Amino acid sequence: MTEEPTAADDPVDIDEADEADEIGDADEIGDVDDTGDTVVYDLSEWEPDQVDTLEWALGRDGVRAVLRDRELTVRLDQEARVDHLIDHLFDDVSGVELAPVVDEGDADIGEMESLGELFVAADRLAHDAEGQVVRAQFEEAATVVDGLPLPYGFEATVWERIRTMAAWLVDELDGAEPELVEEHARTLRDLLRQFV
């Protein structure tokens, strides 16, 4: 079980120009102002896919953060929000046992076809997040996949991540900037590519 990250004991002041320059070169999730105090979380023991999921969640919730060398920097006034998000990020995965598909015939083929349709829909959404038909097709495909059981041969954590990311994208269609929707659609598409 991966240990949860811990915030630094003392807030980090990033007012200084050289530190601001370093953060400018980092992987930004939103923007962290170069004034005020920040908190740093150590993600060095997290798996890459877990870091990706956290990045996704931060972007979805509008949390301004910077990820650099497995260290996540957020504003001090967002510490409680980030702590809550980390505490509950994998609630849907840990301890959940999804029933595997018993029938490896037509039912399993149908589920793989549904994944293929979600892949195509995510790819189209990644190129045209403002298209009403594209958005409707993605929402339909995501809804179908969300109702499927764990396909044969899938790890429960991977399957839950696919379903969660698809559900988040559906939520984002109602208000997120098109650029953010397209970015997240590309992430989901790339995750699905290995299975279709």
Side-chain angles (χ1 to χ4, degrees), residues 88-100:
H88 299 282
L89 185 62
F90 300 105
D91 280 358
D92 293 336
V93 176
S94 58
V96 173
E97 293 185 6
L98 300 177

Side-chain angles (χ1 to χ4, degrees), residues 49 98 150-162 195:
D49 63 327
L98 300 177
L150 175 66
Y152 181 79
F154 270 69
E155 292 184 6
T157 53
V158 174
W159 179 239
E160 191 64 22
R161 186 180 178 212
I162 290 172
F195 303 112

Side-chain angles (χ1 to χ4, degrees), residues 97-139:
E97 293 185 6
L98 300 177
V101 176
V102 176
D103 180 3
E104 297 179 23
D106 294 340
D108 197 44
I109 292 174
E111 286 157 5
M112 297 310 296
E113 288 178 347
S114 296
L115 277 180
E117 291 171 1
L118 181 62
F119 170 80
V120 172
D123 183 60
R124 290 174 178 168
L125 189 65
H127 291 90
D128 183 18
E130 297 182 276
Q132 293 302 314
V133 174
V134 172
R135 292 157 66 97
Q137 289 175 339
F138 177 83
E139 186 169 357

Side-chain angles (χ1 to χ4, degrees), residues 122-192:
D123 183 60
R124 290 174 178 168
L125 189 65
H127 291 90
D128 183 18
E130 297 182 276
Q132 293 302 314
V133 174
V134 172
R135 292 157 66 97
Q137 289 175 339
F138 177 83
E139 186 169 357
E140 180 180 356
T143 301
V144 170
V145 168
D146 187 56
L148 295 177
L150 175 66
Y152 181 79
F154 270 69
E155 292 184 6
T157 53
V158 174
W159 179 239
E160 191 64 22
R161 186 180 178 212
I162 290 172
R163 293 170 59 187
T164 300
M165 292 172 73
W168 284 350
L169 258 175
V170 170
D171 290 343
E172 287 181 344
L173 294 178
D174 291 332
E177 292 294 327
E179 294 80 6
L180 181 63
V181 173
E182 290 175 359
E183 176 187 343
H184 288 172
R186 286 192 294 271
T187 302
L188 177 60
R189 177 200 61 193
D190 294 343
L191 175 62
L192 289 167

